C-alpha cells in the first residue's frame, strides 16, 4: 500500500488547516497541496510546499516593487520571451518542495540532478517497508536491439509471467532475509529471542534496487524544468518518466503561463544544429539533399528527419 492509514490521517489534518498569509498563493496548487499523487505500484509524489507563482517571475524580470498593473497578455509575452531566450534567473525565484516515494533504481537516476536539496529516509535509523516495484505487464519488454539503453516489444503470456514470478520471488526472499537479519517481526518483537538483531545500517544491504525509498526534494523552477526536460522526455526510462509526468501536472497548476511556455519552447521544441539548419534551408529551396551530402551522421540525419516528420 502506498499510503498508510496513519499517513492519511496526517494529510487530512494538514489539508483541513489554513494559515493566513500575505504571500502569493496559487489556488489550483493549494487544491492538491499535501495530497499524494500515486505513481507506479507503491510510489507517489506530493507537493508539500512552494514559493512564488507566474507573477513572481514577471516581477523579478522587471525588478518591480509590486505585482504590477500590466495585462495578463503582457506577462505571458514576457514569460515566453524569457523562455525562448534562455533568460533563466527569473525562474529561479520560484521554489517547490515534493515528498516522493520511489524505487531505489529510480532514486539513483534522480539523484544525479545535483541542483536540488534532498533529504532521504534513513534506512540506518528506520526499517524499510516490505514494498518493491513490480512492473505492470504492459511495461515488461525485451531488451531493445537498436538502443542499448532501452526496451522494445512487450513480453506476453508465459514469458511475462515467468519474469514477474522471478521479480516477486527474489524480492520476497530478500525481504525475508532482511527481517531475519534484523530479527524483528512486523510488530517489532524478536523473531528468535536467542539471536541478536543485526544493525539496520547493515541488514539493508540485503535489499535490492526495486525496494522503495522516500525523500523530500526541493528545487527552483529553472532546475525543475531542466529535470523535467530530461526525465519527461521519451528517451528517459519509463519509471522515472512516470514521476516526471505527474510533476509536470503539478507545474501546470502552479505556474500555468510558464508551463505553457515550457511546453512550447522546450518540451515540444527541437534544438537544430548548424548543419541541420542548412538541410532545412535546402529542403525549403527544393534543392536535392540526402544524408551523405548533408554533413550529418546517419544518426543525426535520422533524428532530424524525425523532428521534421519526414521519412528517412
Ligand atoms: C536519458 C538519459 C540517460 C542517461 N544515461 C546516463 C548514463 O548512462 N550514465 C550516467 O552516469 N549518467 C547518465 N545520465 C545522467 C546524466 O548524464 C546527468 O548526470 C543527469 O541527467 C543530470 O543532469 P545535469 O548534470 O544537467 O543536472 P544537475 O546536476 O541538476 O545540474 C543542472 C545543471 O547545473 C550545472 N552543473 C551542476 N553541477 C555542475 C558541476 N559540477 N559542474 C558544472 N556544471 C554543473 C550544469 O549546467 C547542469 O546541466 C543519463 C541521463 C538521461 C536523461
Amino acid at each position: 500500500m502506498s499510503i498508510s492509514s496513519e499517513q492519511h490521517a496526517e494529510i487530512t489534518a494538514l489539508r483541513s488547516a489554513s494559515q493566513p498569509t500575505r504571500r502569493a498563493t496559487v489556488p489550483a496548487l493549494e487544491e492538491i497541496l499535501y495530497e499524494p499523487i500515486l505513481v507506479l505500484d507503491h510510489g507517489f509524489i506530493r507537493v508539500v510546499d512552494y514559493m512564488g507563482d507566474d507573477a513572481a517571475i514577471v516581477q523579478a524580470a522587471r525588478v518591480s516593487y509590486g505585482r504590477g498593473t500590466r495585462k495578463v497578455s503582457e506577462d505571458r509575452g514576457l514569460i515566453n520571451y524569457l523562455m525562448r531566450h534562455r533568460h533563466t534567473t527569473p525562474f529561479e525565484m520560484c521554489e517547490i518542495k515534493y515528498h516522493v516515494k520511489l524505487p531505489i533504481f529510480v532514486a539513483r537516476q534522480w539523484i544525479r540532478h545535483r541542483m536540488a536539496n534532498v533529504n532521504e529516509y534513513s534506512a540506518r535509523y528506520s526499517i524499510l517497508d516490505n514494498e518493491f516495484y513490480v512492473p505492470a505487464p504492459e511495461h515488461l519488454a525485451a531488451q531493445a536491439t537498436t538502443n542499448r539503453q532501452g526496451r522494445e516489444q512487450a513480453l506476453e503470456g508465459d514469458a511475462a509471467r515467468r519474469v514477474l514470478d522471478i521479480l516477486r520471488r527474489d524480492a520476497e526472499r530478500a525481504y525475508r532475509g532482511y527481517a531475519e537479519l534484523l530479527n524483528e517481526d512486523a510488530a517489532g518483537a524478536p523473531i528468535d529471542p536467542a539471536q541478536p538483531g543485526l544493525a539496520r545500517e547493515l541488514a539493508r544491504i540485503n535489499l535490492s534496487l526495486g525496494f522503495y525509498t522516500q525523500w523530500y526534494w526541493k528545487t527552483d523552477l529553472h532546475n525543475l524544468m531542466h529535470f523535467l526536460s530530461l526525465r519527461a522526455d521519451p528517451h528517459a526510462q519509463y519509471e522515472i518518466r512516470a514521476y516526471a509526468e505527474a510533476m509536470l501536472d503539478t507545474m501546470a497548476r502552479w505556474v500555468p503561463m510558464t508551463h505553457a511556455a515550457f511546453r512550447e519552447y522546450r518540451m515540444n521544441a527541437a534544438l537544430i544544429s548548424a548543419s541541420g539548419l542548412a538541410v532545412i534551408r535546402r529542403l525549403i529551396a527544393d534543392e536535392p539533399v540526402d544524408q551523405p551530402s548533408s554533413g550529418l551522421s546517419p544518426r543525426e540525419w535520422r533524428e532530424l528527419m524525425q523532428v521534421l516528420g519526414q521519412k528517412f
Side-chain angles (χ1 to χ4, degrees):
M1 191 174 50
S2 301
I3 316 275
S4 67
S5 49
E6 254 174 34
Q7 287 163 333
H8 256 304
E10 276 175 36
I11 291 167
T12 307
L14 276 171
R15 284 178 57 77
S16 63
S18 296
Q19 320 288 339
T21 178
R22 291 199 171 89
R23 293 167 47 226
T25 54
V26 181
L29 194 58
E30 294 284 323
E31 240 174 60
I32 59 154
L33 195 63
Y34 309 125
E35 193 78 82
I37 300 165
L38 303 185
V39 185
L40 305 182
D41 52 355
H42 299 290
F44 61 74
I45 61 148
R46 56 189 198 108
V47 177
V48 289
D49 209 353
Y50 67 100
M51 181 177 85
D53 58 3
D54 277 327
I57 298 159
V58 169
Q59 187 188 24
R62 295 195 177 120
V63 195
S64 56
Y65 292 95
R67 291 177 71 74
T69 52
R70 310 229 181 172
K71 291 193 195 120
V72 169
S73 60
E74 287 177 85
D75 288 356
R76 182 174 291 113
L78 176 57
I79 286 178
N80 287 347
Y81 177 89
L82 297 173
M83 190 72 72
R84 251 189 348 266
H85 292 275
R86 284 182 283 176
H87 181 6
T88 51
T89 42
F91 298 110
E92 292 170 21
M93 300 299 154
C94 295
E95 297 255 336
I96 191 157
K97 183 159 63 180
Y98 291 98
H99 176 191
V100 191
K101 182 169 177 185
L102 69 176
I104 294 168
F105 73 93
V106 175
R108 285 193 58 186
Q109 295 184 334
W110 195 314
I111 201 70
R112 300 299 307 282
H113 295 265
R114 296 156 289 180
M115 304 308 287
N117 306 101
V118 190
N119 196 66
E120 189 173 0
Y121 183 85
S122 172
R124 294 184 69 191
Y125 184 79
S126 309
I127 295 177
L128 285 168
D129 291 333
N130 186 8
E131 283 177 332
F132 48 86
Y133 171 62
V134 177
E138 64 271 24
H139 294 297
L140 275 185
Q143 170 62 41
T145 47
T146 48
N147 172 4
R148 284 190 209 166
Q149 271 202 3
R151 48 185 101 165
E152 227 161 46
Q153 82 277 12
L155 298 182
E156 285 171 356
D158 284 348
R161 264 189 296 281
R162 181 178 152 270
V163 169
L164 291 173
D165 285 349
I166 294 174
L167 288 174
R168 280 203 195 94
R169 181 197 68 201
D170 287 0
E172 280 162 7
R173 189 167 53 199
Y175 200 86
R176 270 200 308 279
Y178 176 62
E180 202 176 322
L181 291 168
L182 292 170
N183 197 21
E184 276 185 48
D185 65 17
I191 297 169
D192 178 353
Q195 292 288 337
L198 186 66
R200 291 170 183 180
E201 65 180 15
L202 286 171
R204 64 174 166 177
I205 65 179
N206 210 38
L207 297 175
S208 52
L209 297 181
F211 279 86
Y212 276 82
T213 183
Q214 299 186 34
W215 61 33
Y216 268 53
W217 192 79
K218 178 174 77 68
T219 194
D220 62 56
L221 181 55
H222 166 57
N223 283 293
L224 177 70
M225 289 190 285
H226 180 65
F227 174 85
L228 296 177
S229 67
L230 292 168
R231 303 303 184 174
D233 183 274
H235 293 98
Q237 179 167 345
Y238 160 73
E239 284 77 11
I240 194 164
R241 207 166 69 231
Y243 285 88
E245 280 165 4
M247 291 158 84
L248 258 178
D249 292 342
T250 64
M251 184 188 160
R253 285 177 173 269
W254 178 31
V255 280
M257 283 187 201
T258 306
H259 175 261
F262 177 59
R263 283 207 174 271
E264 176 68 16
Y265 300 109
R266 298 276 298 277
M267 289 295 287
N268 299 323
L271 186 66
I272 313 258
S273 67
S275 304
L277 274 179
V279 169
I280 295 171
R281 288 194 186 106
R282 284 167 71 182
L283 286 172
I284 291 171
D286 249 347
E287 289 173 18
V289 58
D290 56 7
Q291 183 267 316
S293 68
S294 68
L296 297 174
S297 69
R299 187 174 188 163
E300 279 180 288
W301 174 264
R302 221 171 33 242
E303 287 171 2
L304 178 65
M305 291 303 124
Q306 262 163 3
V307 164
L308 299 178
Q310 302 284 314
K311 289 212 171 79
F312 47 87

